[in-house]
Amino acid sequence: MLFGRSRNLVGLDIGDSSVKIVELKELGKGRGFQLLGLGWEPLSSEAIVDGQIMDSQLVSETIQRLCQRCRIKSTSPVAVALSGHHVIVKRISLPQMSDAELAESIHWEAEQYIPFDIDDVNLDYQILEGSSLSGEGGNMDVLLAAAKKDKINDYVSVLGDAGLNPATVDIASFAMQNAFEANYEFEPNQVIALVDIGSAVSSISVLHGGTSVYWRDINIGGNQYTDAIQKELNLSAEQAEQLKRGEEIDGVPYERVLSILSSVSDDIGTEIQKTLDFFKQISATDHALDRMYLTGGTAQVVHMKESLAERLNTQVELLNPFRKIPPVGKDASPDLVNEMMPTASVAVGLALRKQGD
């Protein structure tokens, strides 16, 4: 199930470099949520490469260890997310038709937009409110999401091996948007960009007046910083990671590191700018970007926010997925909440999902 309400799920974000988990409690209709528990475990760089699980045993053992420490019950339904080139998200314009007619024709329509064999993907769709991006009257907008079956099966299998109950497979950019909508308000006609900068893949979502209008995953992220530092300064991967996080190493002038970080940030900024420029072309809008929110471990790289703000001429800030979700109990300590704030958006968004969505 790619889209979709009843009991909340446990959000489990399986990334290339770490696994994050979040458990929420809904307070009642319109009263928001409380944060019951959260945690994270580092993941070996060989375990998952570019979103592809390479060592399923290691991944399942890491998940199992994290769940035991966070006291997550094995019977708890779990939501995970996918991203990268195995996932396709498209907003398409179709002639007005009934739900039954759309259900009959959606696979044929999807074949025109999805660069995979339709039999090799799990497909879901949702009719969106609002006018068509194409500007054609009498049409309706439909959101298509497709993910390779083999990748879904890999993630579901890992959860099963960890003794968990997989309930929902979501798209990372959708989960990030869920976390944003639970914590922030929209203004009419405001254009917002949400950017999750991961280790290998960065997910970008553009929202116009609170409505999702464009998504893109780009194959660039934190690994580029590590690789550049390692190559330029002839260091080990571990030393490069330390420097990327702002730690110092004897004999390495930090000014030299800053120039490398700045160069990679420019590359990431270029890709983000290309995405926003393309969004403007397909949406036929000249509305400027009002604000950008960053999430993901790489979002904390020195001067990243400032670099993007200058390039894009907009306000840039870190997305806080706990802004309106207060922690309760010892399984969600304030220190841990602050530590995970920049990296927990996808896990929070998944935990906002409900079984049967």
Side-chain angles (χ1 to χ4, degrees):
M1 182 189 308
L2 296 174
F3 288 116
R5 259 182 134 119
S6 69
R7 178 183 175 188
N8 281 93
L9 307 178
V10 173
L12 187 67
D13 179 15
I14 307 173
D16 282 12
S17 61
S18 66
V19 179
K20 284 81 68 178
I21 199 164
V22 168
E23 186 175 18
L24 303 177
K25 176 184 178 182
E26 190 168 10
L27 298 177
K29 189 174 182 180
R31 296 174 56 202
F33 296 83
Q34 288 180 332
L35 177 63
L36 296 182
L38 75 165
W40 71 282
E41 279 279 328
L43 201 56
S44 167
S45 59
E46 293 81 26
I48 300 180
V49 178
D50 293 338
Q52 186 72 42
I53 296 176
M54 310 302 291
D55 190 334
S56 58
Q57 181 177 349
L58 180 56
V59 176
S60 63
E61 288 174 352
T62 302
I63 294 171
Q64 202 167 31
R65 188 165 58 249
L66 176 59
C67 288
Q68 288 173 350
R69 195 178 78 244
C70 295
R71 298 189 291 181
I72 300 297
K73 298 177 182 178
S74 60
T75 56
S76 299
V78 174
V80 294
L82 304 178
S83 64
H85 62 275
H86 299 282
V87 173
I88 299 294
V89 179
K90 294 283 187 181
R91 177 171 175 157
I92 64 174
S93 181
L94 298 176
Q96 289 285 348
M97 63 183 78
S98 68
D99 290 346
E101 289 172 330
L102 180 59
E104 287 184 7
S105 63
I106 192 63
H107 277 74
W108 179 83
E109 297 286 355
E111 284 184 309
Q112 304 176 63
Y113 299 96
I114 296 174
F116 308 130
D117 189 317
I118 200 69
D119 294 327
D120 293 337
V121 302
N122 278 8
L123 176 71
D124 209 345
Y125 65 93
Q126 185 165 313
I127 299 173
L128 299 176
E129 296 182 1
S131 60
S132 170
L133 282 180
S134 65
E136 298 174 3
N139 285 6
M140 63 182 185
D141 285 344
V142 176
L143 182 62
L144 281 178
K148 296 290 289 289
K149 288 180 179 178
D150 55 356
K151 187 172 184 182
I152 293 175
N153 292 337
D154 286 346
Y155 277 71
V156 170
S157 177
V158 160
L159 293 178
D161 291 343
L164 297 176
N165 172 25
T168 294
V169 178
D170 206 340
I171 305 296
S173 56
F174 294 166
M176 174 175 57
Q177 183 179 330
N178 284 345
F180 178 78
E181 291 178 350
N183 290 280
Y184 296 83
E185 295 78 31
F186 293 99
E187 296 178 10
N189 296 319
Q190 188 178 37
V191 176
I192 297 290
L194 309 178
V195 183
D196 180 10
I197 309 177
S199 296
V201 176
S202 296
S203 298
I204 304 170
S205 298
V206 181
L207 295 82
H208 186 195
T211 300
S212 301
V213 291
Y214 187 66
W215 308 262
R216 185 190 177 207
D217 285 347
I218 54 177
N219 293 320
I220 192 169
N223 291 343
Q224 273 69 29
Y225 290 96
T226 306
D227 294 344
I229 294 171
Q230 190 176 357
K231 180 181 178 180
E232 292 291 330
L233 302 180
N234 194 27
L235 299 172
S236 68
E238 183 178 354
Q239 289 174 314
E241 280 288 337
Q242 287 178 269
L243 291 169
K244 184 178 75 174
R245 292 194 299 265
E247 301 173 19
E248 295 186 1
I249 292 179
D250 289 342
V252 180
Y254 203 68
E255 292 74 16
R256 181 73 181 94
V257 178
L258 286 175
S259 66
I260 299 172
L261 296 178
S262 177
S263 177
V264 178
S265 292
D266 283 344
D267 292 340
I268 293 178
T270 297
E271 290 300 317
I272 293 175
Q273 187 168 36
K274 286 180 182 177
T275 299
L276 296 175
D277 289 344
F278 187 67
F279 152 70
K280 287 184 177 181
Q281 291 177 11
I282 65 169
S283 62
T285 180
D286 57 359
H287 199 294
L289 179 66
D290 293 291
R291 190 180 296 264
M292 174 178 287
Y293 292 88
L294 301 181
T295 186
T298 307
Q300 302 175 86
V301 166
V302 178
H303 302 319
M304 166 64 82
K305 289 190 300 179
E306 294 79 5
S307 173
L308 287 174
E310 183 177 359
R311 171 186 286 270
L312 302 172
N313 191 29
T314 192
Q315 297 183 65
V316 180
E317 62 182 88
L318 287 180
L319 195 162
N320 180 1
F322 307 117
R323 186 168 177 257
K324 291 187 177 181
I325 304 178
V328 293
K330 61 182 180 181
D331 291 329
S333 69
D335 287 345
L336 184 56
V337 170
N338 288 333
E339 178 187 350
M340 290 189 62
M341 186 271 283
T343 62
S345 293
V346 171
V348 169
L350 291 171
L352 289 165
R353 292 292 304 267
K354 294 185 178 180
Q355 203 164 9
D357 277 359

